[in-house]
Amino acid sequence: MAYQRPDIGKVENDFNELLARFNAAKSALEQTDILARINELKNEFSTYASIASVRNSIDTTNAFYETEQEFFDTNEPVIKDLYIRFYKALGSSKFKDELQQKFGNQLFKLADVSLKTFDTSIIEDLKEENKLGTQYTKLVASAEVEFNGEKMTLPALSAFMESTDRDTRKRAYIANQGFFAGHEKEFDEIYDKLVKVRTSIAHKLGYKNFVELAYYRMARTDYNDAMVEGFRNNVLKYVVPLAQKLRERQRKRIGLDKLKAYDLAHNFNSGNPKPKGTPAEIVANGQKMYSELSTETKEFFDFMVSNDLMDLENKKGKASGGYCTMFAKYKSPFIFANFNGTVGDVDVLTHEAGHAFQCFESRNFQVEEYYWPTMESCEIHSMSMEHLTYPWMELFFGNDTDKYKFVHLSSNILFLPYGVAVDEFQHIVYENPDMTPAERKKTWLEVDKKYRPWMDYDGIDYLERGGFWQRQGHIYRSPFYYIDYCLAQLCAFQFWSKSRKDFNGAWSDYLRLCKAGGSDSFLGLVKLANIHSPFEPNVFEPLFGEIEGYLNSVDDMKM
Ligand SMILES: [Zn+2]
């Protein structure tokens, strides 16, 4: 794929010209044609932005793509302003009814909701918000801690935090939190400024506080904070007790008197399940799995492999983490990861591939807004794929397959209380923007105690004072995003449950969902997928009853 830096002046001119023609158009047909041209222009621009960002993450030492990345970061507000003007034109089109017939309502809902989040008066505040977010990322990325007489990064340290030797994992845990405690004042300051600037943006746009604006920013058009509160209450009622039982089983299994914070990542004295084979063998097994799963997944995965659309191996200079993105002009998804020999490698082939598969199935929509849905819906595709591929886990884990499934299901259960705690914490913070850093930490402790009553920080001062949340990047960089994982998990569990009774039925529901892409809102997509909304009060009890029944049927003491 050839890269060239877009000429911003030309993009602006072309866009403005198309916009003028759109506004002056004499028929819906004419507007539809111009809309297609606008879409091409957006695809062209986003493709170059993706290429620059992907190449920058594959080799962070490459100065050329670093400069290109900066170019896109700097020009983001200019482009955002153009897109907003297009949405305004779309919303006030004389032919709105006909366009709605053709493209569906969701495009207009998305246009409407993004207008609620932007005004030129907040551009300087947005830059400030971005700058603070980058400051946080840089601070965490700079982390180096002493461990076993060596200097190491936090990702390198995390392997020791899962050690089967209690002393090792305790020391690693203390070293890890030591970094955050050592920079507590900076973490406090960055967050305090973020809360204030977001609150100021919300006030300028006419909102009481940042919460409502945050929901619009996430393009949530069919649920509100009261519904999310109801969801959290159900997690408290139905999931927290089950999670507590799982922690108790874990304690017995690894033979301790009391589980401390640093024991939680240690699941089995025999070690965590590990995928077998080299990265190339793991990918080959992935290809086998997707060729057996369905004709659609076979076509998708063969496309990814034959077009070299995955960069999976850990290399020097490569950025950490994993993601899925798209080169829209080429209708191609792309997967980035760092294989390291753990369960995470298989998660890439299920979770990230789930995202990529949906994108592949939605690649022919006429508007780019429908290539992906909103975030909570995106996570349904990825998380459900993790469950729908259970029948093939033997390929990766052999004799450890039951152990893998047990850990996977239990860790998904254990995630939910933490996920809603992060969400509740943010609601309280932004509803009370004048709290001091110490008051925020006290708030975290209260929320944490409610949802994770098993948490024992073993006298580590910074954590006992409520500093745990400062390691969670989403709280700084993507406010109110975290609940999306929880909502999607409730949907993914339903796919798990269905697939046990009727695999083909579950698969066809899943496929329909992926093909719908972003053409509907969250609750619309949930309905289309033939599953219950996670906001329905009676979803939790039977679903978690079934999961508990399964987990109880497993003899984990032998694992
Ligand atoms: Zn994901």
Side-chain angles (χ1 to χ4, degrees):
M1 290 175 194
Y3 174 77
Q4 84 190 51
R5 180 192 282 197
D7 177 342
I8 285 287
K10 190 171 179 307
V11 173
E12 270 189 283
N13 281 340
D14 291 353
F15 205 96
N16 282 330
E17 199 195 306
L18 287 167
L19 217 51
R21 281 175 51 202
F22 184 88
N23 286 329
K26 298 270 184 306
S27 68
L29 194 68
E30 202 185 333
Q31 282 200 329
T32 304
D33 283 343
I34 301 166
L35 216 147
R37 294 288 314 283
I38 289 177
N39 197 57
E40 267 171 41
L41 199 68
K42 287 169 108 178
N43 279 349
E44 174 100 8
F45 187 84
S46 78
T47 299
Y48 288 133
S50 292
I51 293 177
S53 151
V54 163
R55 292 188 182 158
N56 179 46
S57 62
I58 288 177
D59 181 6
T60 54
T61 64
N62 182 318
F64 177 78
Y65 285 111
E66 194 181 343
T67 314
E68 294 310 290
Q69 180 64 52
E70 276 165 25
F71 166 81
F72 285 104
D73 290 346
T74 324
N75 285 295
E76 202 197 317
V78 180
I79 297 298
K80 174 140 191 165
D81 185 41
L82 288 178
Y83 291 3
I84 288 283
R85 278 196 279 143
F86 163 61
Y87 285 146
K88 271 189 189 144
L90 194 64
S92 55
S93 162
K94 276 175 280 182
F95 310 105
K96 195 172 164 182
D97 288 349
E98 284 154 278
L99 294 178
Q100 254 169 346
Q101 288 265 311
K102 183 156 176 56
F103 296 104
N105 259 338
Q106 178 66 2
L107 177 63
F108 293 85
K109 281 201 246 166
L110 289 173
D112 197 42
V113 84
S114 57
L115 293 178
K116 290 182 174 167
T117 66
F118 188 75
D119 183 87
T120 45
S121 68
I122 62 164
I123 287 184
E124 287 312 307
D125 289 330
L126 287 178
K127 284 186 189 161
E128 170 74 5
E129 186 186 355
N130 278 338
K131 215 179 78 194
L132 290 163
T134 308
Q135 247 180 52
Y136 173 84
T137 305
K138 284 199 169 148
L139 182 57
V140 176
S142 77
E144 261 199 336
V145 292
E146 279 273 321
F147 188 68
N148 284 350
E150 258 182 78
K151 275 205 183 305
M152 60 177 78
T153 62
L154 296 183
L157 186 70
S158 67
F160 295 97
M161 286 164 68
E162 289 180 24
S163 171
T164 49
D165 175 56
R166 196 180 202 194
D167 177 59
T168 304
R169 63 177 184 262
K170 180 177 176 178
R171 284 188 300 110
Y173 192 89
I174 288 175
N176 174 289
Q177 73 80 37
F179 168 76
F180 290 91
H183 294 83
E184 183 177 356
K185 229 178 125 51
E186 287 158 273
F187 284 118
D188 280 344
E189 267 174 32
I190 295 173
Y191 195 58
D192 194 57
K193 286 182 185 164
L194 276 170
V195 171
K196 302 236 146 87
V197 76
R198 284 173 182 147
T199 301
S200 146
I201 291 172
H203 288 162
K204 281 182 191 169
L205 293 173
Y207 299 103
K208 187 174 77 187
N209 59 41
F210 179 65
V211 180
E212 194 181 356
L213 170 60
Y215 275 57
Y216 289 140
R217 276 190 182 188
M218 301 295 298
R220 294 172 184 167
T221 54
D222 49 12
Y223 60 97
N224 58 24
D225 55 345
M227 289 160 81
V228 171
E229 187 182 351
F231 176 85
R232 292 196 305 261
N233 287 338
N234 279 327
V235 170
L236 184 64
K237 188 167 169 196
Y238 297 105
V239 186
V240 171
L242 174 56
Q244 189 139 21
K245 284 184 212 162
L246 284 170
R247 286 300 183 203
E248 178 57 15
R249 276 173 86 170
Q250 180 183 7
R251 185 194 66 73
K252 276 198 199 134
R253 197 165 62 231
I254 58 178
L256 295 174
D257 290 339
K258 178 93 183 66
L259 270 188
K260 305 282 184 181
Y262 46 80
D263 296 317
L264 299 183
H266 174 54
N267 276 305
F268 301 96
N269 286 334
S270 58
N272 279 328
K274 276 194 175 74
K276 16 170 230 178
T278 62
E281 285 162 345
I282 292 174
V283 173
N285 279 330
Q287 197 159 11
K288 184 169 157 47
M289 169 173 84
Y290 283 122
S291 73
E292 291 172 8
L293 178 52
S294 72
T295 44
E296 288 83 0
T297 48
K298 179 182 181 343
E299 187 199 352
F300 150 72
F301 206 77
D302 290 350
F303 179 86
M304 298 299 284
V305 171
S306 60
N307 290 294
D308 204 9
L309 291 165
M310 296 185 283
D311 197 286
L312 306 175
E313 292 197 42
N314 196 330
K315 282 174 284 203
K316 207 170 166 237
K318 200 169 163 178
S320 61
Y323 62 77
C324 171
T325 184
M326 182 192 198
F327 306 118
K329 202 172 113 174
Y330 301 101
K331 298 183 188 289
S332 297
F334 176 82
I335 296 175
F336 174 96
N338 282 282
F339 273 20
N340 63 358
T342 68
V343 166
D345 300 357
V346 176
D347 295 342
V348 170
L349 289 183
T350 55
H351 185 101
E352 299 305 337
H355 286 307
F357 176 65
Q358 175 267 308
C359 171
F360 188 72
E361 291 304 304
S362 307
R363 69 196 183 281
N364 291 319
F365 272 112
Q366 285 170 294
V367 288
E368 56 95 21
E369 284 81 357
Y370 293 174
Y371 294 155
W372 313 93
T374 45
M375 304 306 270
E376 74 294 75
S377 308
C378 280
E379 295 305 330
I380 308 179
H381 314 126
S382 54
M383 291 175 159
S384 302
M385 189 66 106
E386 293 178 33
H387 294 293
L388 290 167
T389 50
Y390 271 11
W392 286 269
M393 285 303 113
E394 198 122 11
L395 285 172
F396 303 98
F397 295 102
N399 294 336
D400 271 352
T401 302
D402 286 338
K403 198 178 188 181
Y404 167 78
K405 288 185 198 163
F406 182 82
V407 182
H408 186 253
L409 268 181
S410 5
S411 60
N412 287 336
I413 297 281
L414 290 165
F415 170 74
L416 285 169
Y418 177 64
V420 298
V422 168
D423 184 64
E424 186 158 314
F425 172 68
Q426 296 183 85
H427 278 85
I428 301 172
V429 165
Y430 287 102
E431 279 159 12
N432 303 280
D434 295 323
M435 279 199 291
T436 63
E439 285 168 336
R440 288 189 191 115
K441 290 196 194 95
K442 205 172 142 266
T443 299
W444 169 260
L445 273 189
E446 284 161 14
V447 174
D448 196 18
K449 220 168 226 96
K450 176 169 153 192
Y451 291 103
R452 300 195 297 175
W454 56 83
M455 215 44 185
D456 178 348
Y457 293 116
D458 202 28
I460 302 172
D461 172 64
Y462 167 71
L463 300 177
E464 297 279 6
R465 284 187 294 105
F468 188 90
W469 58 275
Q470 297 194 321
R471 70 193 51 212
Q472 191 63 57
H474 298 70
I475 295 177
Y476 285 78
R477 299 219 60 169
S478 316
F480 292 90
Y481 174 14
Y482 223 57
I483 197 71
D484 292 35
Y485 293 114
C486 304
L487 297 173
Q489 186 61 67
L490 258 283
C491 301
F493 278 145
Q494 291 181 66
F495 272 109
W496 168 78
S497 160
K498 253 198 223 195
S499 70
R500 303 175 75 209
K501 293 151 206 150
D502 171 17
F503 189 89
N504 293 335
W507 179 257
S508 86
D509 287 338
Y510 177 80
L511 186 61
R512 191 178 332 108
L513 175 71
C514 290
K515 283 184 187 296
S519 64
D520 208 339
S521 57
F522 176 54
L523 294 182
L525 290 169
V526 160
K527 202 167 167 199
L528 184 78
N530 219 355
I531 51 178
H532 295 284
S533 153
F535 299 118
E536 279 176 35
N538 43 8
V539 180
F540 279 73
E541 202 173 356
L543 189 58
F544 289 94
E546 185 183 352
I547 299 171
E548 183 169 11
Y550 171 82
L551 291 170
N552 285 344
S553 75
V554 178
D555 187 0
D556 57 315
M557 291 298 283
K558 285 206 182 117
M559 286 175 164

